[in-house]
Amino acid sequence: MCRFKLPKGRRGIRACAISDDGKRSVVVDISNDHCVTCFDNASGNKVWEQKGGPDTIVDVAFQKGTYDVAAAGVKKVQFFAGDDGNNRGGIIGDHDRTNFGSIRGMGESNEAGCWVAAGANGQLYWWDSQRKVCKVQTVCAKKPIISLQVCSKKIMCGSSNGDLYAMEHDGSNCETMCSHHDSVRAICMKEGKCALGLGDSTICIG
């Protein structure tokens, strides 16, 4: 296992992600600047680092098949170029403004948008390659969405009221898969198996 550490004063790590090829990782710290730092996993060397700004960042992700990075948090979504971390804010336009609890890459060729972010207003936001919101879709129960997972055929969303939703990659055919007694804070899907982490420390496997 390769182990590397952020400089003093960063206080800790709030979110992390690893690229599809396993060669890079990215982390967000909980310092006042909420720095986003990308590492080369083989050497542990820092590839780039950018300040995320004063507002909290709660999630970070790589784009599928690339080293481009997106981060989501309080009142914002940000995009970072894979080569140097050049930071550009997402453009909401005329859509409802909200906090974002999670973000995932959909792939550059996905017609609905190449990034999808989960809003605290119960809506999913799709972003295009120009970092603009290109589509907004209300999720079934209109509750805050706090977790998100993109699978090969579906988008899985976990809500604050304990419901797990599934929909197509373009947001159509939203359905409630199951309901739980506490918020669905983490989702992982592998080979037909689903692992959920709930707000009361319960882990559900099915």
Side-chain angles (χ1 to χ4, degrees):
M1 175 180 287
C2 182
R3 181 173 296 186
F4 29 94
K5 193 172 177 65
L6 294 174
K8 290 183 179 180
R10 298 300 175 83
R11 300 179 187 168
I13 294 172
R14 189 182 300 277
C16 64
I18 191 167
S19 62
D20 281 353
D21 62 8
K23 293 182 178 181
R24 288 191 186 181
S25 56
V26 63
V27 300
V28 177
D29 64 44
I30 56 176
S31 67
N32 291 339
D33 291 324
H34 303 100
C35 293
V36 181
T37 308
C38 181
F39 291 96
D40 175 82
N41 291 340
S43 65
N45 293 331
K46 181 170 64 178
V47 178
W48 54 261
E49 179 178 271
Q50 297 286 349
K51 293 180 179 180
D55 295 319
T56 300
I57 296 174
V58 299
D59 196 23
V60 66
F62 280 98
Q63 182 58 273
K64 289 182 177 296
T66 78
Y67 295 137
D68 291 341
V69 169
V74 176
K75 299 184 291 186
K76 66 183 178 183
V77 165
Q78 293 173 280
F79 301 98
F80 302 84
D83 53 355
D84 59 4
N86 182 35
N87 177 8
R88 302 184 299 172
I91 301 172
I92 299 288
D94 295 331
H95 300 287
D96 293 339
R97 297 182 180 275
T98 186
N99 297 330
F100 295 94
S102 188
I103 192 164
R104 291 292 180 269
M106 298 288 295
E108 296 291 346
S109 62
N110 187 62
E111 293 182 359
C114 49
W115 296 93
V116 61
N121 58 359
Q123 295 180 323
L124 292 184
Y125 289 68
W126 278 261
W127 306 78
D128 63 21
S129 59
Q130 303 302 313
R131 76 188 191 284
K132 295 179 181 179
V133 172
C134 56
K135 180 179 180 178
V136 176
Q137 174 79 27
T138 301
V139 178
C140 302
K142 301 181 181 179
K143 297 294 184 180
I145 304 301
I146 56 177
S147 57
L148 189 63
Q149 182 71 41
V150 176
C151 307
S152 59
K153 297 182 179 180
K154 297 283 186 179
I155 297 175
M156 310 295 291
C157 305
S159 74
S160 61
N161 68 346
D163 288 339
L164 178 69
Y165 310 112
M167 66 191 71
E168 305 296 330
H169 281 185
D170 63 0
S172 62
N173 300 324
C174 179
E175 58 180 333
T176 303
M177 301 299 293
C178 54
S179 298
H180 298 275
H181 58 277
D182 210 321
S183 57
V184 180
R185 296 184 176 273
I187 307 169
C188 185
M189 295 285 294
K190 294 288 185 182
E191 298 180 355
K193 291 287 187 179
C194 180
L196 304 178
L198 306 186
D200 66 348
S201 301
T202 301
I203 301 168
C204 300
I205 307 292

